[in-house]
Structures are given as C-alpha cells and as structure tokens.
Amino acid sequence: MKRLILTRHAKSSWDDPLMSDHDRPLNERGKAAAADLGQWLASRGYVPSEVLCSDAVRTRATFSGIAPALPGAPVLDLKPALYHAGPDVMLAVLRHATADTVMMIGHNPGIAEFAHRLVSKTPVSPEFRKYPTGATLVVDFMVDTWADAGFGQGVTADFIVPREIVA
C-alpha cells in the first residue's frame, strides 16, 4: 500500500501587489494553519517520508510550518513542475516517488482537480470540490509502486481544511 497526503498551500499574503505570484509568502493566518496541519497530521500518524513540493515560496513555507510537528525528518524534494501544475503533471511527478507515504504540496486549480480525479469516491465534505487553502486529503493506493498509481484508484482515508481543526 502507498499513502499520499495531498495538501494545498496555506493562505498566502497579497500585501505587495507588485510581488510575483511565485514569490508570495504566507500571511499570519497561513502560518498558523500550516502549524495546525502539522499537529493534525502527526496526531493521526499521517507522517510522510518524502515531500514533493512546488518550489513557490508559499508551498515551501507551508511545509516549513508543518514540518516541526512531524517526527523524523521527511526528505523535501522541490519540484518546479508542481508550480501551478495540472493533474496529469502531478500524477507524473507522483509516479516517481519512492517512499511509502508521500506528501505533495501544490496549488489550485490543479490540485483540486487532481484530488477529485485520484479518488474512487470523493469525501462528503462540501469543501472538497473547492479545495481551499490548506485543504489536505489523505488517500491510500493498493499498489506496490507509485508507478502503478492512477486516477480513480485512491481510497480516501481522511480530509480536512484548517478551519475544521480543533486545537
């Protein structure tokens, strides 16, 4: 079995309208949400060994907020191809993963469509289709290697958005 933790970056800052999209940092709410997500993941034993992350500032900062709560030190692999990637690119990147539990951190609109296409049955949450900032899907695949993972094969183990986390 393989497990994917699919996270959209936390809330980013729009304070500087001249800043490039790629360079936008997290705002204070986003930093708090990332820390909450880390605690939530650790409390449920959803701990990745490998993290495939867009190279945008906000995705890297999301992982930096999550990481302190995780036991061990997952291997962070920055993937420029994940910056605003669509579902096909995201699946291609995932198929090269090597760990049993992998986290992928990306962007909308691609990550919402990717999440929807991965699972055989979507979560009941009304937030799932929107996949708001910080949304995190935990999905299991009954495959031996990530190369065998495909759309419609995933089984939802959990889904959360940061505002639903009760500290």
Side-chain angles (χ1 to χ4, degrees), residues 7-15 24-35 37 57-59 61-63 66 105-107 131-135 162-163:
T7 300
R8 181 179 173 200
H9 65 80
K11 194 80 171 158
S12 59
S13 173
W14 289 88
D15 288 346
R24 281 190 294 116
L26 296 183
N27 65 18
E28 292 307 311
R29 187 173 126 203
K31 291 173 188 173
L37 280 170
V57 170
R58 63 190 177 274
T59 49
T62 298
F63 178 67
I66 290 170
I105 306 174
H107 309 264
Y131 226 82
T133 53
R163 69 179 159 273

PDB file of all heavy atoms in Angstrom, residues 7-15 24-35 37 57-59 61-63 66 105-107 131-135 162-163:
ATOM      1  N   THR A   7      -1.730  18.235  -0.081  1.00  0.00           N
ATOM      2  CA  THR A   7      -2.006  19.491   0.611  1.00  0.00           C
ATOM      3  C   THR A   7      -1.889  20.686  -0.324  1.00  0.00           C
ATOM      4  O   THR A   7      -0.870  20.842  -1.015  1.00  0.00           O
ATOM      5  CB  THR A   7      -1.025  19.673   1.792  1.00  0.00           C
ATOM      6  OG1 THR A   7      -1.193  18.572   2.697  1.00  0.00           O
ATOM      7  CG2 THR A   7      -1.272  20.975   2.537  1.00  0.00           C
ATOM      8  N   ARG A   8      -2.920  21.530  -0.302  1.00  0.00           N
ATOM      9  CA  ARG A   8      -2.804  22.820  -0.979  1.00  0.00           C
ATOM     10  C   ARG A   8      -2.090  23.764  -0.020  1.00  0.00           C
ATOM     11  O   ARG A   8      -2.319  23.720   1.190  1.00  0.00           O
ATOM     12  CB  ARG A   8      -4.182  23.380  -1.325  1.00  0.00           C
ATOM     13  CG  ARG A   8      -4.082  24.716  -2.055  1.00  0.00           C
ATOM     14  CD  ARG A   8      -5.430  25.266  -2.431  1.00  0.00           C
ATOM     15  NE  ARG A   8      -5.271  26.616  -2.969  1.00  0.00           N
ATOM     16  CZ  ARG A   8      -6.243  27.492  -3.033  1.00  0.00           C
ATOM     17  NH1 ARG A   8      -7.460  27.183  -2.613  1.00  0.00           N
ATOM     18  NH2 ARG A   8      -6.013  28.699  -3.519  1.00  0.00           N
ATOM     19  N   HIS A   9      -1.239  24.618  -0.541  1.00  0.00           N
ATOM     20  CA  HIS A   9      -0.520  25.574   0.301  1.00  0.00           C
ATOM     21  C   HIS A   9      -1.484  26.339   1.207  1.00  0.00           C
ATOM     22  O   HIS A   9      -2.665  26.516   0.883  1.00  0.00           O
ATOM     23  CB  HIS A   9       0.296  26.546  -0.547  1.00  0.00           C
ATOM     24  CG  HIS A   9      -0.559  27.443  -1.401  1.00  0.00           C
ATOM     25  ND1 HIS A   9      -1.193  28.563  -0.911  1.00  0.00           N
ATOM     26  CD2 HIS A   9      -0.902  27.348  -2.705  1.00  0.00           C
ATOM     27  CE1 HIS A   9      -1.885  29.137  -1.876  1.00  0.00           C
ATOM     28  NE2 HIS A   9      -1.731  28.410  -2.985  1.00  0.00           N
ATOM     29  N   ALA A  10      -0.974  26.813   2.326  1.00  0.00           N
ATOM     30  CA  ALA A  10      -1.771  27.613   3.258  1.00  0.00           C
ATOM     31  C   ALA A  10      -1.975  29.018   2.690  1.00  0.00           C
ATOM     32  O   ALA A  10      -1.415  29.373   1.646  1.00  0.00           O
ATOM     33  CB  ALA A  10      -1.081  27.658   4.620  1.00  0.00           C
ATOM     34  N   LYS A  11      -2.769  29.802   3.392  1.00  0.00           N
ATOM     35  CA  LYS A  11      -3.161  31.149   2.944  1.00  0.00           C
ATOM     36  C   LYS A  11      -1.945  32.047   2.731  1.00  0.00           C
ATOM     37  O   LYS A  11      -1.125  32.210   3.619  1.00  0.00           O
ATOM     38  CB  LYS A  11      -4.090  31.768   3.982  1.00  0.00           C
ATOM     39  CG  LYS A  11      -4.813  32.993   3.511  1.00  0.00           C
ATOM     40  CD  LYS A  11      -5.982  32.584   2.669  1.00  0.00           C
ATOM     41  CE  LYS A  11      -6.856  33.787   2.351  1.00  0.00           C
ATOM     42  NZ  LYS A  11      -7.647  33.532   1.173  1.00  0.00           N
ATOM     43  N   SER A  12      -1.873  32.631   1.544  1.00  0.00           N
ATOM     44  CA  SER A  12      -0.728  33.482   1.221  1.00  0.00           C
ATOM     45  C   SER A  12      -1.070  34.961   1.337  1.00  0.00           C
ATOM     46  O   SER A  12      -2.231  35.348   1.394  1.00  0.00           O
ATOM     47  CB  SER A  12      -0.215  33.166  -0.189  1.00  0.00           C
ATOM     48  OG  SER A  12      -1.236  33.372  -1.141  1.00  0.00           O
ATOM     49  N   SER A  13      -0.036  35.749   1.354  1.00  0.00           N
ATOM     50  CA  SER A  13      -0.171  37.194   1.518  1.00  0.00           C
ATOM     51  C   SER A  13      -0.288  37.880   0.163  1.00  0.00           C
ATOM     52  O   SER A  13       0.426  37.544  -0.776  1.00  0.00           O
ATOM     53  CB  SER A  13       1.056  37.735   2.254  1.00  0.00           C
ATOM     54  OG  SER A  13       1.026  39.146   2.273  1.00  0.00           O
ATOM     55  N   TRP A  14      -1.163  38.869   0.121  1.00  0.00           N
ATOM     56  CA  TRP A  14      -1.312  39.710  -1.063  1.00  0.00           C
ATOM     57  C   TRP A  14      -0.929  41.150  -0.729  1.00  0.00           C
ATOM     58  O   TRP A  14      -1.350  42.093  -1.398  1.00  0.00           O
ATOM     59  CB  TRP A  14      -2.754  39.651  -1.571  1.00  0.00           C
ATOM     60  CG  TRP A  14      -3.089  38.325  -2.181  1.00  0.00           C
ATOM     61  CD1 TRP A  14      -3.560  37.216  -1.541  1.00  0.00           C
ATOM     62  CD2 TRP A  14      -2.974  37.959  -3.553  1.00  0.00           C
ATOM     63  NE1 TRP A  14      -3.740  36.183  -2.421  1.00  0.00           N
ATOM     64  CE2 TRP A  14      -3.392  36.622  -3.673  1.00  0.00           C
ATOM     65  CE3 TRP A  14      -2.551  38.634  -4.696  1.00  0.00           C
ATOM     66  CZ2 TRP A  14      -3.399  35.942  -4.885  1.00  0.00           C
ATOM     67  CZ3 TRP A  14      -2.572  37.954  -5.909  1.00  0.00           C
ATOM     68  CH2 TRP A  14      -2.985  36.623  -5.994  1.00  0.00           C
ATOM     69  N   ASP A  15      -0.133  41.338   0.333  1.00  0.00           N
ATOM     70  CA  ASP A  15       0.226  42.680   0.798  1.00  0.00           C
ATOM     71  C   ASP A  15       0.994  43.494  -0.238  1.00  0.00           C
ATOM     72  O   ASP A  15       0.875  44.713  -0.284  1.00  0.00           O
ATOM     73  CB  ASP A  15       1.059  42.611   2.088  1.00  0.00           C
ATOM     74  CG  ASP A  15       0.221  42.202   3.289  1.00  0.00           C
ATOM     75  OD1 ASP A  15      -1.027  42.223   3.192  1.00  0.00           O
ATOM     76  OD2 ASP A  15       0.822  41.856   4.319  1.00  0.00           O
ATOM     77  N   ARG A  24       5.169  35.005  -3.468  1.00  0.00           N
ATOM     78  CA  ARG A  24       4.281  35.402  -2.369  1.00  0.00           C
ATOM     79  C   ARG A  24       4.487  34.515  -1.140  1.00  0.00           C
ATOM     80  O   ARG A  24       4.468  33.288  -1.247  1.00  0.00           O
ATOM     81  CB  ARG A  24       2.816  35.335  -2.791  1.00  0.00           C
ATOM     82  CG  ARG A  24       2.391  36.527  -3.615  1.00  0.00           C
ATOM     83  CD  ARG A  24       0.901  36.623  -3.848  1.00  0.00           C
ATOM     84  NE  ARG A  24       0.405  35.522  -4.665  1.00  0.00           N
ATOM     85  CZ  ARG A  24      -0.451  34.609  -4.244  1.00  0.00           C
ATOM     86  NH1 ARG A  24      -0.927  34.642  -3.022  1.00  0.00           N
ATOM     87  NH2 ARG A  24      -0.855  33.649  -5.045  1.00  0.00           N
ATOM     88  N   PRO A  25       4.654  35.113   0.046  1.00  0.00           N
ATOM     89  CA  PRO A  25       4.815  34.348   1.285  1.00  0.00           C
ATOM     90  C   PRO A  25       3.454  34.002   1.885  1.00  0.00           C
ATOM     91  O   PRO A  25       2.408  34.420   1.368  1.00  0.00           O
ATOM     92  CB  PRO A  25       5.566  35.333   2.194  1.00  0.00           C
ATOM     93  CG  PRO A  25       5.027  36.672   1.769  1.00  0.00           C
ATOM     94  CD  PRO A  25       4.817  36.560   0.273  1.00  0.00           C
ATOM     95  N   LEU A  26       3.457  33.277   2.980  1.00  0.00           N
ATOM     96  CA  LEU A  26       2.229  33.034   3.735  1.00  0.00           C
ATOM     97  C   LEU A  26       1.896  34.272   4.559  1.00  0.00           C
ATOM     98  O   LEU A  26       2.790  34.993   5.005  1.00  0.00           O
ATOM     99  CB  LEU A  26       2.400  31.844   4.684  1.00  0.00           C
ATOM    100  CG  LEU A  26       2.646  30.479   4.063  1.00  0.00           C
ATOM    101  CD1 LEU A  26       2.711  29.412   5.150  1.00  0.00           C
ATOM    102  CD2 LEU A  26       1.604  30.132   3.017  1.00  0.00           C
ATOM    103  N   ASN A  27       0.598  34.488   4.786  1.00  0.00           N
ATOM    104  CA  ASN A  27       0.210  35.518   5.737  1.00  0.00           C
ATOM    105  C   ASN A  27       0.154  34.884   7.130  1.00  0.00           C
ATOM    106  O   ASN A  27       0.435  33.681   7.286  1.00  0.00           O
ATOM    107  CB  ASN A  27      -1.101  36.202   5.333  1.00  0.00           C
ATOM    108  CG  ASN A  27      -2.314  35.278   5.362  1.00  0.00           C
ATOM    109  OD1 ASN A  27      -2.304  34.208   5.977  1.00  0.00           O
ATOM    110  ND2 ASN A  27      -3.376  35.689   4.693  1.00  0.00           N
ATOM    111  N   GLU A  28      -0.174  35.654   8.140  1.00  0.00           N
ATOM    112  CA  GLU A  28      -0.176  35.122   9.513  1.00  0.00           C
ATOM    113  C   GLU A  28      -1.167  33.980   9.679  1.00  0.00           C
ATOM    114  O   GLU A  28      -0.878  32.990  10.347  1.00  0.00           O
ATOM    115  CB  GLU A  28      -0.451  36.246  10.520  1.00  0.00           C
ATOM    116  CG  GLU A  28       0.682  37.264  10.612  1.00  0.00           C
ATOM    117  CD  GLU A  28       2.046  36.632  10.865  1.00  0.00           C
ATOM    118  OE1 GLU A  28       2.177  35.785  11.774  1.00  0.00           O
ATOM    119  OE2 GLU A  28       3.002  36.975  10.133  1.00  0.00           O
ATOM    120  N   ARG A  29      -2.340  34.108   9.072  1.00  0.00           N
ATOM    121  CA  ARG A  29      -3.335  33.028   9.134  1.00  0.00           C
ATOM    122  C   ARG A  29      -2.788  31.754   8.490  1.00  0.00           C
ATOM    123  O   ARG A  29      -2.988  30.648   8.993  1.00  0.00           O
ATOM    124  CB  ARG A  29      -4.618  33.485   8.446  1.00  0.00           C
ATOM    125  CG  ARG A  29      -5.760  32.509   8.588  1.00  0.00           C
ATOM    126  CD  ARG A  29      -7.038  33.115   8.034  1.00  0.00           C
ATOM    127  NE  ARG A  29      -7.586  32.206   7.058  1.00  0.00           N
ATOM    128  CZ  ARG A  29      -8.407  32.534   6.091  1.00  0.00           C
ATOM    129  NH1 ARG A  29      -8.775  33.772   5.916  1.00  0.00           N
ATOM    130  NH2 ARG A  29      -8.859  31.629   5.262  1.00  0.00           N
ATOM    131  N   GLY A  30      -2.067  31.915   7.383  1.00  0.00           N
ATOM    132  CA  GLY A  30      -1.479  30.764   6.699  1.00  0.00           C
ATOM    133  C   GLY A  30      -0.407  30.082   7.535  1.00  0.00           C
ATOM    134  O   GLY A  30      -0.331  28.847   7.578  1.00  0.00           O
ATOM    135  N   LYS A  31       0.414  30.882   8.210  1.00  0.00           N
ATOM    136  CA  LYS A  31       1.450  30.302   9.075  1.00  0.00           C
ATOM    137  C   LYS A  31       0.814  29.501  10.210  1.00  0.00           C
ATOM    138  O   LYS A  31       1.266  28.391  10.526  1.00  0.00           O
ATOM    139  CB  LYS A  31       2.339  31.404   9.650  1.00  0.00           C
ATOM    140  CG  LYS A  31       3.211  32.075   8.612  1.00  0.00           C
ATOM    141  CD  LYS A  31       3.948  33.260   9.209  1.00  0.00           C
ATOM    142  CE  LYS A  31       4.677  34.051   8.147  1.00  0.00           C
ATOM    143  NZ  LYS A  31       5.265  35.291   8.697  1.00  0.00           N
ATOM    144  N   ALA A  32      -0.240  30.045  10.811  1.00  0.00           N
ATOM    145  CA  ALA A  32      -0.926  29.333  11.895  1.00  0.00           C
ATOM    146  C   ALA A  32      -1.590  28.061  11.370  1.00  0.00           C
ATOM    147  O   ALA A  32      -1.547  27.006  12.017  1.00  0.00           O
ATOM    148  CB  ALA A  32      -1.963  30.248  12.553  1.00  0.00           C
ATOM    149  N   ALA A  33      -2.199  28.150  10.188  1.00  0.00           N
ATOM    150  CA  ALA A  33      -2.864  26.980   9.599  1.00  0.00           C
ATOM    151  C   ALA A  33      -1.863  25.872   9.296  1.00  0.00           C
ATOM    152  O   ALA A  33      -2.151  24.690   9.516  1.00  0.00           O
ATOM    153  CB  ALA A  33      -3.615  27.384   8.328  1.00  0.00           C
ATOM    154  N   ALA A  34      -0.683  26.231   8.792  1.00  0.00           N
ATOM    155  CA  ALA A  34       0.340  25.219   8.489  1.00  0.00           C
ATOM    156  C   ALA A  34       0.767  24.500   9.764  1.00  0.00           C
ATOM    157  O   ALA A  34       0.893  23.267   9.789  1.00  0.00           O
ATOM    158  CB  ALA A  34       1.540  25.863   7.797  1.00  0.00           C
ATOM    159  N   ALA A  35       0.962  25.248  10.842  1.00  0.00           N
ATOM    160  CA  ALA A  35       1.325  24.625  12.124  1.00  0.00           C
ATOM    161  C   ALA A  35       0.213  23.706  12.613  1.00  0.00           C
ATOM    162  O   ALA A  35       0.472  22.594  13.101  1.00  0.00           O
ATOM    163  CB  ALA A  35       1.636  25.699  13.162  1.00  0.00           C
ATOM    164  N   LEU A  37      -1.987  22.155  10.751  1.00  0.00           N
ATOM    165  CA  LEU A  37      -1.975  20.969   9.887  1.00  0.00           C
ATOM    166  C   LEU A  37      -0.901  19.979  10.316  1.00  0.00           C
ATOM    167  O   LEU A  37      -1.131  18.766  10.331  1.00  0.00           O
ATOM    168  CB  LEU A  37      -1.752  21.363   8.426  1.00  0.00           C
ATOM    169  CG  LEU A  37      -2.967  21.872   7.670  1.00  0.00           C
ATOM    170  CD1 LEU A  37      -2.548  22.450   6.322  1.00  0.00           C
ATOM    171  CD2 LEU A  37      -3.989  20.759   7.484  1.00  0.00           C
ATOM    172  N   VAL A  57       7.374  30.080  -3.033  1.00  0.00           N
ATOM    173  CA  VAL A  57       7.643  30.448  -1.633  1.00  0.00           C
ATOM    174  C   VAL A  57       6.527  29.960  -0.715  1.00  0.00           C
ATOM    175  O   VAL A  57       6.784  29.414   0.366  1.00  0.00           O
ATOM    176  CB  VAL A  57       7.853  31.975  -1.512  1.00  0.00           C
ATOM    177  CG1 VAL A  57       7.880  32.423  -0.061  1.00  0.00           C
ATOM    178  CG2 VAL A  57       9.141  32.382  -2.215  1.00  0.00           C
ATOM    179  N   ARG A  58       5.260  30.118  -1.112  1.00  0.00           N
ATOM    180  CA  ARG A  58       4.151  29.758  -0.219  1.00  0.00           C
ATOM    181  C   ARG A  58       4.024  28.253   0.027  1.00  0.00           C
ATOM    182  O   ARG A  58       3.588  27.836   1.084  1.00  0.00           O
ATOM    183  CB  ARG A  58       2.847  30.373  -0.695  1.00  0.00           C
ATOM    184  CG  ARG A  58       2.358  29.906  -2.044  1.00  0.00           C
ATOM    185  CD  ARG A  58       1.186  30.786  -2.505  1.00  0.00           C
ATOM    186  NE  ARG A  58       0.684  30.458  -3.811  1.00  0.00           N
ATOM    187  CZ  ARG A  58       1.173  30.920  -4.952  1.00  0.00           C
ATOM    188  NH1 ARG A  58       2.226  31.720  -4.942  1.00  0.00           N
ATOM    189  NH2 ARG A  58       0.630  30.590  -6.100  1.00  0.00           N
ATOM    190  N   THR A  59       4.417  27.428  -0.943  1.00  0.00           N
ATOM    191  CA  THR A  59       4.361  25.981  -0.717  1.00  0.00           C
ATOM    192  C   THR A  59       5.510  25.549   0.195  1.00  0.00           C
ATOM    193  O   THR A  59       5.323  24.727   1.095  1.00  0.00           O
ATOM    194  CB  THR A  59       4.403  25.200  -2.045  1.00  0.00           C
ATOM    195  OG1 THR A  59       5.479  25.683  -2.845  1.00  0.00           O
ATOM    196  CG2 THR A  59       3.096  25.319  -2.792  1.00  0.00           C
ATOM    197  N   ALA A  61       6.937  27.445   2.428  1.00  0.00           N
ATOM    198  CA  ALA A  61       6.618  27.950   3.764  1.00  0.00           C
ATOM    199  C   ALA A  61       5.542  27.095   4.428  1.00  0.00           C
ATOM    200  O   ALA A  61       5.552  26.910   5.657  1.00  0.00           O
ATOM    201  CB  ALA A  61       6.166  29.406   3.684  1.00  0.00           C
ATOM    202  N   THR A  62       4.627  26.554   3.639  1.00  0.00           N
ATOM    203  CA  THR A  62       3.617  25.645   4.203  1.00  0.00           C
ATOM    204  C   THR A  62       4.304  24.426   4.787  1.00  0.00           C
ATOM    205  O   THR A  62       4.020  24.020   5.919  1.00  0.00           O
ATOM    206  CB  THR A  62       2.584  25.252   3.126  1.00  0.00           C
ATOM    207  OG1 THR A  62       1.905  26.433   2.669  1.00  0.00           O
ATOM    208  CG2 THR A  62       1.576  24.252   3.660  1.00  0.00           C
ATOM    209  N   PHE A  63       5.228  23.839   4.037  1.00  0.00           N
ATOM    210  CA  PHE A  63       5.945  22.689   4.578  1.00  0.00           C
ATOM    211  C   PHE A  63       6.762  23.073   5.808  1.00  0.00           C
ATOM    212  O   PHE A  63       6.798  22.333   6.792  1.00  0.00           O
ATOM    213  CB  PHE A  63       6.852  22.033   3.538  1.00  0.00           C
ATOM    214  CG  PHE A  63       7.623  20.887   4.129  1.00  0.00           C
ATOM    215  CD1 PHE A  63       6.972  19.743   4.540  1.00  0.00           C
ATOM    216  CD2 PHE A  63       8.985  20.981   4.334  1.00  0.00           C
ATOM    217  CE1 PHE A  63       7.663  18.696   5.139  1.00  0.00           C
ATOM    218  CE2 PHE A  63       9.683  19.949   4.925  1.00  0.00           C
ATOM    219  CZ  PHE A  63       9.026  18.799   5.326  1.00  0.00           C
ATOM    220  N   ILE A  66       4.506  22.979   8.725  1.00  0.00           N
ATOM    221  CA  ILE A  66       4.041  21.622   9.054  1.00  0.00           C
ATOM    222  C   ILE A  66       5.158  20.802   9.702  1.00  0.00           C
ATOM    223  O   ILE A  66       4.935  20.081  10.673  1.00  0.00           O
ATOM    224  CB  ILE A  66       3.539  20.907   7.774  1.00  0.00           C
ATOM    225  CG1 ILE A  66       2.228  21.540   7.287  1.00  0.00           C
ATOM    226  CG2 ILE A  66       3.367  19.408   7.999  1.00  0.00           C
ATOM    227  CD1 ILE A  66       1.797  21.065   5.901  1.00  0.00           C
ATOM    228  N   ILE A 105       2.659  19.010  -2.041  1.00  0.00           N
ATOM    229  CA  ILE A 105       2.128  20.334  -1.738  1.00  0.00           C
ATOM    230  C   ILE A 105       2.105  21.140  -3.028  1.00  0.00           C
ATOM    231  O   ILE A 105       3.136  21.324  -3.674  1.00  0.00           O
ATOM    232  CB  ILE A 105       2.973  21.058  -0.665  1.00  0.00           C
ATOM    233  CG1 ILE A 105       3.105  20.182   0.590  1.00  0.00           C
ATOM    234  CG2 ILE A 105       2.352  22.409  -0.319  1.00  0.00           C
ATOM    235  CD1 ILE A 105       4.043  20.743   1.646  1.00  0.00           C
ATOM    236  N   GLY A 106       0.893  21.608  -3.381  1.00  0.00           N
ATOM    237  CA  GLY A 106       0.736  22.313  -4.643  1.00  0.00           C
ATOM    238  C   GLY A 106      -0.288  23.422  -4.578  1.00  0.00           C
ATOM    239  O   GLY A 106      -0.568  23.984  -3.517  1.00  0.00           O
ATOM    240  N   HIS A 107      -0.860  23.722  -5.748  1.00  0.00           N
ATOM    241  CA  HIS A 107      -1.684  24.912  -5.961  1.00  0.00           C
ATOM    242  C   HIS A 107      -3.007  24.568  -6.645  1.00  0.00           C
ATOM    243  O   HIS A 107      -3.090  23.615  -7.403  1.00  0.00           O
ATOM    244  CB  HIS A 107      -0.956  25.892  -6.894  1.00  0.00           C
ATOM    245  CG  HIS A 107       0.450  26.194  -6.487  1.00  0.00           C
ATOM    246  ND1 HIS A 107       0.782  27.288  -5.741  1.00  0.00           N
ATOM    247  CD2 HIS A 107       1.620  25.541  -6.732  1.00  0.00           C
ATOM    248  CE1 HIS A 107       2.091  27.313  -5.542  1.00  0.00           C
ATOM    249  NE2 HIS A 107       2.619  26.254  -6.132  1.00  0.00           N
ATOM    250  N   TYR A 131     -11.429  22.798  -2.545  1.00  0.00           N
ATOM    251  CA  TYR A 131     -10.056  22.576  -2.089  1.00  0.00           C
ATOM    252  C   TYR A 131      -9.406  23.901  -1.669  1.00  0.00           C
ATOM    253  O   TYR A 131      -8.442  24.373  -2.278  1.00  0.00           O
ATOM    254  CB  TYR A 131      -9.214  21.874  -3.166  1.00  0.00           C
ATOM    255  CG  TYR A 131      -8.397  20.734  -2.609  1.00  0.00           C
ATOM    256  CD1 TYR A 131      -8.964  19.491  -2.402  1.00  0.00           C
ATOM    257  CD2 TYR A 131      -7.063  20.911  -2.266  1.00  0.00           C
ATOM    258  CE1 TYR A 131      -8.224  18.434  -1.887  1.00  0.00           C
ATOM    259  CE2 TYR A 131      -6.309  19.863  -1.749  1.00  0.00           C
ATOM    260  CZ  TYR A 131      -6.895  18.626  -1.558  1.00  0.00           C
ATOM    261  OH  TYR A 131      -6.164  17.588  -1.045  1.00  0.00           O
ATOM    262  N   PRO A 132      -9.942  24.512  -0.602  1.00  0.00           N
ATOM    263  CA  PRO A 132      -9.428  25.819  -0.170  1.00  0.00           C
ATOM    264  C   PRO A 132      -7.998  25.721   0.358  1.00  0.00           C
ATOM    265  O   PRO A 132      -7.457  24.624   0.528  1.00  0.00           O
ATOM    266  CB  PRO A 132     -10.394  26.216   0.949  1.00  0.00           C
ATOM    267  CG  PRO A 132     -10.913  24.924   1.485  1.00  0.00           C
ATOM    268  CD  PRO A 132     -10.970  23.999   0.300  1.00  0.00           C
ATOM    269  N   THR A 133      -7.390  26.867   0.636  1.00  0.00           N
ATOM    270  CA  THR A 133      -6.019  26.866   1.126  1.00  0.00           C
ATOM    271  C   THR A 133      -5.899  25.963   2.350  1.00  0.00           C
ATOM    272  O   THR A 133      -6.755  25.962   3.230  1.00  0.00           O
ATOM    273  CB  THR A 133      -5.545  28.287   1.474  1.00  0.00           C
ATOM    274  OG1 THR A 133      -6.475  28.896   2.360  1.00  0.00           O
ATOM    275  CG2 THR A 133      -5.393  29.132   0.229  1.00  0.00           C
ATOM    276  N   GLY A 134      -4.852  25.170   2.366  1.00  0.00           N
ATOM    277  CA  GLY A 134      -4.591  24.249   3.465  1.00  0.00           C
ATOM    278  C   GLY A 134      -5.350  22.940   3.394  1.00  0.00           C
ATOM    279  O   GLY A 134      -5.103  22.029   4.184  1.00  0.00           O
ATOM    280  N   ALA A 135      -6.274  22.804   2.454  1.00  0.00           N
ATOM    281  CA  ALA A 135      -7.021  21.549   2.333  1.00  0.00           C
ATOM    282  C   ALA A 135      -6.042  20.396   2.202  1.00  0.00           C
ATOM    283  O   ALA A 135      -5.039  20.487   1.486  1.00  0.00           O
ATOM    284  CB  ALA A 135      -7.952  21.587   1.128  1.00  0.00           C
ATOM    285  N   PRO A 162      -8.041  23.550   7.333  1.00  0.00           N
ATOM    286  CA  PRO A 162      -7.528  24.078   8.608  1.00  0.00           C
ATOM    287  C   PRO A 162      -8.579  24.624   9.562  1.00  0.00           C
ATOM    288  O   PRO A 162      -8.486  24.418  10.766  1.00  0.00           O
ATOM    289  CB  PRO A 162      -6.544  25.172   8.178  1.00  0.00           C
ATOM    290  CG  PRO A 162      -6.034  24.671   6.866  1.00  0.00           C
ATOM    291  CD  PRO A 162      -7.237  24.046   6.203  1.00  0.00           C
ATOM    292  N   ARG A 163      -9.612  25.282   9.047  1.00  0.00           N
ATOM    293  CA  ARG A 163     -10.618  25.858   9.966  1.00  0.00           C
ATOM    294  C   ARG A 163     -11.424  24.785  10.707  1.00  0.00           C
ATOM    295  O   ARG A 163     -12.130  25.086  11.660  1.00  0.00           O
ATOM    296  CB  ARG A 163     -11.493  26.867   9.257  1.00  0.00           C
ATOM    297  CG  ARG A 163     -12.419  26.305   8.230  1.00  0.00           C
ATOM    298  CD  ARG A 163     -13.277  27.412   7.601  1.00  0.00           C
ATOM    299  NE  ARG A 163     -13.816  27.022   6.328  1.00  0.00           N
ATOM    300  CZ  ARG A 163     -13.219  27.160   5.153  1.00  0.00           C
ATOM    301  NH1 ARG A 163     -12.031  27.721   5.100  1.00  0.00           N
ATOM    302  NH2 ARG A 163     -13.782  26.761   4.038  1.00  0.00           N
TER     303      ARG A 163
END
